[in-house]
Amino acid sequence: MFGYSGYAWCPNLVNSVVINDELLVSNPRGPIINGGDYFQEQFRQLIGISGLKVHFLEDGYYQELRGNTRDATNTTRQGDEKPFWESLK
């Protein structure tokens, strides 16, 4: 959902960061249904098969600056030794 200027009304959950089997995700601040954030619950259900532990971060400050969690973490990543397509076989 976007405003007229292109501003996102809620954070993009895809722009997240994985660090040591933990997934850092912007808090979507979705509708509260049955006492829980609906967007968070759906995201946890969909990502559950990955085995990652999900942490929702309050990054409203970065959202106001038109950024997100990935922009705020500044992490260094080390790739795998072999090309990714070899693991698809």
Side-chain angles (χ1 to χ4, degrees):
M1 296 185 296
F2 298 94
Y4 290 112
S5 67
Y7 176 73
W9 286 101
C10 66
N12 184 345
L13 301 177
V14 174
N15 290 327
S16 54
V17 177
V18 176
I19 300 176
N20 300 328
D21 296 326
E22 302 203 17
L23 184 63
L24 307 178
V25 185
S26 296
N27 183 352
R29 296 178 294 282
I32 305 301
I33 299 176
N34 296 327
D37 184 306
Y38 181 75
F39 291 167
Q40 283 185 18
E41 296 302 321
Q42 290 300 306
F43 186 80
R44 277 194 172 100
Q45 185 177 25
L46 292 169
I47 204 73
I49 61 171
S50 71
L52 295 171
K53 184 175 180 181
V54 179
H55 300 278
F56 290 99
L57 306 176
E58 292 298 334
D59 65 348
Y61 174 75
Y62 294 102
Q63 291 296 318
E64 289 175 18
L65 297 174
R66 309 300 194 254
N68 53 46
T69 297
R70 183 192 64 213
D71 301 332
T73 56
N74 201 20
T75 60
T76 301
R77 294 165 184 83
Q78 182 175 356
D80 290 332
E81 296 278 327
K82 64 180 183 176
F84 78 90
W85 55 85
E86 289 181 7
S87 64
L88 299 176
K89 298 177 184 177

